[in-house]
PDB file of all heavy atoms in Angstrom:
ATOM      1  N   LEU A1134     -45.894 -18.514 -37.080  1.00  0.00           N
ATOM      2  CA  LEU A1134     -47.153 -19.218 -36.623  1.00  0.00           C
ATOM      3  C   LEU A1134     -48.371 -19.003 -37.640  1.00  0.00           C
ATOM      4  O   LEU A1134     -49.485 -18.570 -37.152  1.00  0.00           O
ATOM      5  CB  LEU A1134     -47.537 -19.061 -35.181  1.00  0.00           C
ATOM      6  CG  LEU A1134     -46.670 -19.664 -34.236  1.00  0.00           C
ATOM      7  CD1 LEU A1134     -47.097 -19.322 -32.804  1.00  0.00           C
ATOM      8  CD2 LEU A1134     -46.653 -21.101 -34.184  1.00  0.00           C
ATOM      9  N   HIS A1456     -41.608 -18.338 -31.220  1.00  0.00           N
ATOM     10  CA  HIS A1456     -40.669 -18.956 -32.117  1.00  0.00           C
ATOM     11  C   HIS A1456     -40.445 -20.385 -31.880  1.00  0.00           C
ATOM     12  O   HIS A1456     -40.235 -21.153 -32.779  1.00  0.00           O
ATOM     13  CB  HIS A1456     -39.300 -18.115 -31.946  1.00  0.00           C
ATOM     14  CG  HIS A1456     -39.212 -16.884 -32.824  1.00  0.00           C
ATOM     15  ND1 HIS A1456     -38.972 -16.851 -34.097  1.00  0.00           N
ATOM     16  CD2 HIS A1456     -39.421 -15.423 -32.435  1.00  0.00           C
ATOM     17  CE1 HIS A1456     -38.943 -15.637 -34.590  1.00  0.00           C
ATOM     18  NE2 HIS A1456     -39.362 -14.827 -33.537  1.00  0.00           N
ATOM     19  N   ALA A1457     -40.467 -20.687 -30.578  1.00  0.00           N
ATOM     20  CA  ALA A1457     -40.273 -22.101 -30.270  1.00  0.00           C
ATOM     21  C   ALA A1457     -41.557 -22.954 -30.711  1.00  0.00           C
ATOM     22  O   ALA A1457     -41.272 -24.034 -31.463  1.00  0.00           O
ATOM     23  CB  ALA A1457     -40.300 -22.235 -28.632  1.00  0.00           C
ATOM     24  N   LEU A1458     -42.624 -22.473 -30.637  1.00  0.00           N
ATOM     25  CA  LEU A1458     -43.817 -23.118 -31.129  1.00  0.00           C
ATOM     26  C   LEU A1458     -43.860 -23.249 -32.653  1.00  0.00           C
ATOM     27  O   LEU A1458     -44.192 -24.187 -33.345  1.00  0.00           O
ATOM     28  CB  LEU A1458     -45.098 -22.513 -30.710  1.00  0.00           C
ATOM     29  CG  LEU A1458     -45.381 -22.663 -29.291  1.00  0.00           C
ATOM     30  CD1 LEU A1458     -46.506 -21.619 -28.760  1.00  0.00           C
ATOM     31  CD2 LEU A1458     -45.693 -24.127 -28.780  1.00  0.00           C
ATOM     32  N   HIS A1459     -43.318 -22.153 -33.345  1.00  0.00           N
ATOM     33  CA  HIS A1459     -43.320 -22.032 -34.731  1.00  0.00           C
ATOM     34  C   HIS A1459     -42.259 -23.115 -35.337  1.00  0.00           C
ATOM     35  O   HIS A1459     -42.622 -23.885 -36.311  1.00  0.00           O
ATOM     36  CB  HIS A1459     -42.671 -20.686 -35.154  1.00  0.00           C
ATOM     37  CG  HIS A1459     -42.648 -20.476 -36.719  1.00  0.00           C
ATOM     38  ND1 HIS A1459     -43.667 -20.199 -37.486  1.00  0.00           N
ATOM     39  CD2 HIS A1459     -41.534 -20.548 -37.504  1.00  0.00           C
ATOM     40  CE1 HIS A1459     -43.143 -20.134 -38.782  1.00  0.00           C
ATOM     41  NE2 HIS A1459     -41.863 -20.396 -38.713  1.00  0.00           N
ATOM     42  N   ASN A1460     -41.046 -23.167 -34.679  1.00  0.00           N
ATOM     43  CA  ASN A1460     -39.942 -24.225 -35.053  1.00  0.00           C
ATOM     44  C   ASN A1460     -40.564 -25.586 -34.806  1.00  0.00           C
ATOM     45  O   ASN A1460     -40.282 -26.452 -35.666  1.00  0.00           O
ATOM     46  CB  ASN A1460     -38.727 -23.970 -34.350  1.00  0.00           C
ATOM     47  CG  ASN A1460     -38.103 -22.620 -34.665  1.00  0.00           C
ATOM     48  OD1 ASN A1460     -38.457 -22.037 -35.747  1.00  0.00           O
ATOM     49  ND2 ASN A1460     -37.273 -22.018 -33.708  1.00  0.00           N
ATOM     50  N   MET A1461     -41.316 -25.777 -33.764  1.00  0.00           N
ATOM     51  CA  MET A1461     -41.832 -27.130 -33.425  1.00  0.00           C
ATOM     52  C   MET A1461     -42.926 -27.581 -34.366  1.00  0.00           C
ATOM     53  O   MET A1461     -42.888 -28.595 -34.816  1.00  0.00           O
ATOM     54  CB  MET A1461     -42.396 -26.895 -31.990  1.00  0.00           C
ATOM     55  CG  MET A1461     -42.898 -28.408 -31.414  1.00  0.00           C
ATOM     56  SD  MET A1461     -43.642 -28.068 -29.735  1.00  0.00           S
ATOM     57  CE  MET A1461     -44.272 -29.723 -29.503  1.00  0.00           C
ATOM     58  N   HIS A1462     -43.703 -26.590 -34.795  1.00  0.00           N
ATOM     59  CA  HIS A1462     -44.738 -26.757 -35.756  1.00  0.00           C
ATOM     60  C   HIS A1462     -44.089 -27.205 -37.132  1.00  0.00           C
ATOM     61  O   HIS A1462     -44.603 -28.138 -37.819  1.00  0.00           O
ATOM     62  CB  HIS A1462     -45.712 -25.523 -35.906  1.00  0.00           C
ATOM     63  CG  HIS A1462     -46.838 -25.703 -36.862  1.00  0.00           C
ATOM     64  ND1 HIS A1462     -46.829 -25.462 -38.183  1.00  0.00           N
ATOM     65  CD2 HIS A1462     -48.037 -26.335 -36.665  1.00  0.00           C
ATOM     66  CE1 HIS A1462     -47.923 -25.704 -38.810  1.00  0.00           C
ATOM     67  NE2 HIS A1462     -48.706 -26.174 -37.816  1.00  0.00           N
ATOM     68  N   GLN A1463     -43.038 -26.375 -37.472  1.00  0.00           N
ATOM     69  CA  GLN A1463     -42.509 -26.786 -38.774  1.00  0.00           C
ATOM     70  C   GLN A1463     -41.904 -28.211 -38.781  1.00  0.00           C
ATOM     71  O   GLN A1463     -41.881 -28.868 -39.754  1.00  0.00           O
ATOM     72  CB  GLN A1463     -41.350 -25.880 -39.111  1.00  0.00           C
ATOM     73  CG  GLN A1463     -41.870 -24.499 -39.525  1.00  0.00           C
ATOM     74  CD  GLN A1463     -40.816 -23.510 -39.940  1.00  0.00           C
ATOM     75  OE1 GLN A1463     -39.641 -23.625 -39.416  1.00  0.00           O
ATOM     76  NE2 GLN A1463     -41.055 -22.723 -41.014  1.00  0.00           N
ATOM     77  N   ASP A1464     -41.309 -28.623 -37.566  1.00  0.00           N
ATOM     78  CA  ASP A1464     -40.866 -29.984 -37.516  1.00  0.00           C
ATOM     79  C   ASP A1464     -41.744 -31.105 -37.345  1.00  0.00           C
ATOM     80  O   ASP A1464     -41.797 -32.156 -38.025  1.00  0.00           O
ATOM     81  CB  ASP A1464     -39.873 -29.950 -36.312  1.00  0.00           C
ATOM     82  CG  ASP A1464     -38.517 -29.116 -36.514  1.00  0.00           C
ATOM     83  OD1 ASP A1464     -38.248 -28.777 -37.752  1.00  0.00           O
ATOM     84  OD2 ASP A1464     -37.874 -28.868 -35.619  1.00  0.00           O
ATOM     85  N   LEU A1465     -42.829 -30.775 -36.716  1.00  0.00           N
ATOM     86  CA  LEU A1465     -43.952 -31.842 -36.407  1.00  0.00           C
ATOM     87  C   LEU A1465     -45.019 -31.789 -37.424  1.00  0.00           C
ATOM     88  O   LEU A1465     -45.503 -32.925 -37.706  1.00  0.00           O
ATOM     89  CB  LEU A1465     -44.492 -31.654 -34.993  1.00  0.00           C
ATOM     90  CG  LEU A1465     -43.349 -31.814 -33.840  1.00  0.00           C
ATOM     91  CD1 LEU A1465     -44.258 -31.723 -32.457  1.00  0.00           C
ATOM     92  CD2 LEU A1465     -42.812 -33.258 -33.914  1.00  0.00           C
ATOM     93  N   CYS A1466     -45.348 -30.787 -37.915  1.00  0.00           N
ATOM     94  CA  CYS A1466     -46.477 -30.542 -38.903  1.00  0.00           C
ATOM     95  C   CYS A1466     -46.036 -29.871 -40.087  1.00  0.00           C
ATOM     96  O   CYS A1466     -46.447 -28.800 -40.379  1.00  0.00           O
ATOM     97  CB  CYS A1466     -47.661 -29.765 -38.188  1.00  0.00           C
ATOM     98  SG  CYS A1466     -48.006 -30.293 -36.468  1.00  0.00           S
ATOM     99  N   PRO A1467     -45.149 -30.342 -40.815  1.00  0.00           N
ATOM    100  CA  PRO A1467     -44.614 -29.752 -42.081  1.00  0.00           C
ATOM    101  C   PRO A1467     -45.758 -29.663 -43.155  1.00  0.00           C
ATOM    102  O   PRO A1467     -46.390 -30.650 -43.424  1.00  0.00           O
ATOM    103  CB  PRO A1467     -43.572 -30.752 -42.550  1.00  0.00           C
ATOM    104  CG  PRO A1467     -43.768 -31.988 -41.972  1.00  0.00           C
ATOM    105  CD  PRO A1467     -44.396 -31.725 -40.734  1.00  0.00           C
ATOM    106  N   GLY A1468     -46.044 -28.480 -43.595  1.00  0.00           N
ATOM    107  CA  GLY A1468     -47.004 -28.249 -44.591  1.00  0.00           C
ATOM    108  C   GLY A1468     -48.402 -28.220 -44.025  1.00  0.00           C
ATOM    109  O   GLY A1468     -49.400 -27.984 -44.895  1.00  0.00           O
ATOM    110  N   ALA A1469     -48.577 -28.497 -42.819  1.00  0.00           N
ATOM    111  CA  ALA A1469     -49.987 -28.536 -42.276  1.00  0.00           C
ATOM    112  C   ALA A1469     -50.502 -27.160 -41.871  1.00  0.00           C
ATOM    113  O   ALA A1469     -49.651 -26.252 -41.503  1.00  0.00           O
ATOM    114  CB  ALA A1469     -50.055 -29.383 -41.016  1.00  0.00           C
ATOM    115  N   CYS A1473     -51.549 -29.700 -35.946  1.00  0.00           N
ATOM    116  CA  CYS A1473     -51.827 -31.049 -36.321  1.00  0.00           C
ATOM    117  C   CYS A1473     -51.942 -31.894 -35.064  1.00  0.00           C
ATOM    118  O   CYS A1473     -51.630 -31.610 -33.845  1.00  0.00           O
ATOM    119  CB  CYS A1473     -50.733 -31.410 -37.332  1.00  0.00           C
ATOM    120  SG  CYS A1473     -49.052 -31.438 -36.506  1.00  0.00           S
ATOM    121  N   LYS A1475     -50.072 -34.151 -34.071  1.00  0.00           N
ATOM    122  CA  LYS A1475     -48.753 -34.296 -33.152  1.00  0.00           C
ATOM    123  C   LYS A1475     -48.605 -33.170 -32.109  1.00  0.00           C
ATOM    124  O   LYS A1475     -47.825 -33.296 -31.299  1.00  0.00           O
ATOM    125  CB  LYS A1475     -47.510 -34.373 -34.070  1.00  0.00           C
ATOM    126  CG  LYS A1475     -47.485 -35.681 -34.916  1.00  0.00           C
ATOM    127  CD  LYS A1475     -46.262 -35.691 -35.790  1.00  0.00           C
ATOM    128  CE  LYS A1475     -45.981 -36.974 -36.512  1.00  0.00           C
ATOM    129  NZ  LYS A1475     -44.976 -37.065 -37.264  1.00  0.00           N
ATOM    130  N   MET A1476     -49.307 -32.110 -32.406  1.00  0.00           N
ATOM    131  CA  MET A1476     -49.101 -30.960 -31.460  1.00  0.00           C
ATOM    132  C   MET A1476     -50.472 -30.889 -30.662  1.00  0.00           C
ATOM    133  O   MET A1476     -50.706 -29.790 -29.962  1.00  0.00           O
ATOM    134  CB  MET A1476     -48.906 -29.574 -32.280  1.00  0.00           C
ATOM    135  CG  MET A1476     -47.520 -29.591 -32.764  1.00  0.00           C
ATOM    136  SD  MET A1476     -47.221 -27.792 -33.430  1.00  0.00           S
ATOM    137  CE  MET A1476     -47.175 -26.793 -32.136  1.00  0.00           C
ATOM    138  N   LEU A1483     -40.933 -31.236 -24.903  1.00  0.00           N
ATOM    139  CA  LEU A1483     -40.408 -30.997 -26.317  1.00  0.00           C
ATOM    140  C   LEU A1483     -40.464 -29.440 -26.503  1.00  0.00           C
ATOM    141  O   LEU A1483     -39.603 -28.902 -27.201  1.00  0.00           O
ATOM    142  CB  LEU A1483     -41.390 -31.609 -27.279  1.00  0.00           C
ATOM    143  CG  LEU A1483     -40.908 -31.642 -28.754  1.00  0.00           C
ATOM    144  CD1 LEU A1483     -39.662 -32.371 -28.867  1.00  0.00           C
ATOM    145  CD2 LEU A1483     -42.025 -32.410 -29.572  1.00  0.00           C
ATOM    146  N   SER A1486     -37.389 -27.926 -25.044  1.00  0.00           N
ATOM    147  CA  SER A1486     -36.108 -28.107 -25.895  1.00  0.00           C
ATOM    148  C   SER A1486     -36.013 -27.113 -27.063  1.00  0.00           C
ATOM    149  O   SER A1486     -35.089 -26.484 -27.499  1.00  0.00           O
ATOM    150  CB  SER A1486     -36.149 -29.527 -26.483  1.00  0.00           C
ATOM    151  OG  SER A1486     -37.102 -29.673 -27.394  1.00  0.00           O
ATOM    152  N   TYR A1487     -37.329 -26.712 -27.587  1.00  0.00           N
ATOM    153  CA  TYR A1487     -37.356 -25.754 -28.642  1.00  0.00           C
ATOM    154  C   TYR A1487     -37.157 -24.223 -28.172  1.00  0.00           C
ATOM    155  O   TYR A1487     -36.448 -23.501 -28.761  1.00  0.00           O
ATOM    156  CB  TYR A1487     -38.719 -25.787 -29.526  1.00  0.00           C
ATOM    157  CG  TYR A1487     -38.657 -26.890 -30.486  1.00  0.00           C
ATOM    158  CD1 TYR A1487     -39.305 -28.178 -30.191  1.00  0.00           C
ATOM    159  CD2 TYR A1487     -38.252 -26.715 -31.744  1.00  0.00           C
ATOM    160  CE1 TYR A1487     -39.337 -29.148 -31.160  1.00  0.00           C
ATOM    161  CE2 TYR A1487     -38.157 -27.762 -32.691  1.00  0.00           C
ATOM    162  CZ  TYR A1487     -38.826 -28.870 -32.468  1.00  0.00           C
ATOM    163  OH  TYR A1487     -38.823 -29.955 -33.325  1.00  0.00           O
ATOM    164  N   ILE A1488     -37.566 -24.047 -26.997  1.00  0.00           N
ATOM    165  CA  ILE A1488     -37.406 -22.720 -26.372  1.00  0.00           C
ATOM    166  C   ILE A1488     -35.865 -22.694 -26.066  1.00  0.00           C
ATOM    167  O   ILE A1488     -35.424 -21.429 -26.380  1.00  0.00           O
ATOM    168  CB  ILE A1488     -38.148 -22.673 -25.017  1.00  0.00           C
ATOM    169  CG1 ILE A1488     -39.650 -22.508 -25.188  1.00  0.00           C
ATOM    170  CG2 ILE A1488     -37.719 -21.509 -24.192  1.00  0.00           C
ATOM    171  CD1 ILE A1488     -40.387 -22.652 -23.875  1.00  0.00           C
ATOM    172  N   SER A1490     -33.611 -23.632 -27.745  1.00  0.00           N
ATOM    173  CA  SER A1490     -32.918 -23.506 -28.973  1.00  0.00           C
ATOM    174  C   SER A1490     -33.088 -22.324 -29.875  1.00  0.00           C
ATOM    175  O   SER A1490     -32.481 -22.086 -30.802  1.00  0.00           O
ATOM    176  CB  SER A1490     -33.191 -24.729 -29.963  1.00  0.00           C
ATOM    177  OG  SER A1490     -32.945 -26.043 -29.101  1.00  0.00           O
TER     178      SER A1490
END
Side-chain angles (χ1 to χ4, degrees):
L1134 288 175
H1456 277 282
L1458 292 170
H1459 178 83
N1460 296 337
M1461 183 179 177
H1462 182 266
Q1463 285 186 327
D1464 291 346
L1465 298 183
C1466 311
C1473 66
K1475 288 184 179 180
M1476 286 185 67
L1483 189 59
S1486 66
Y1487 278 99
I1488 289 172
S1490 302

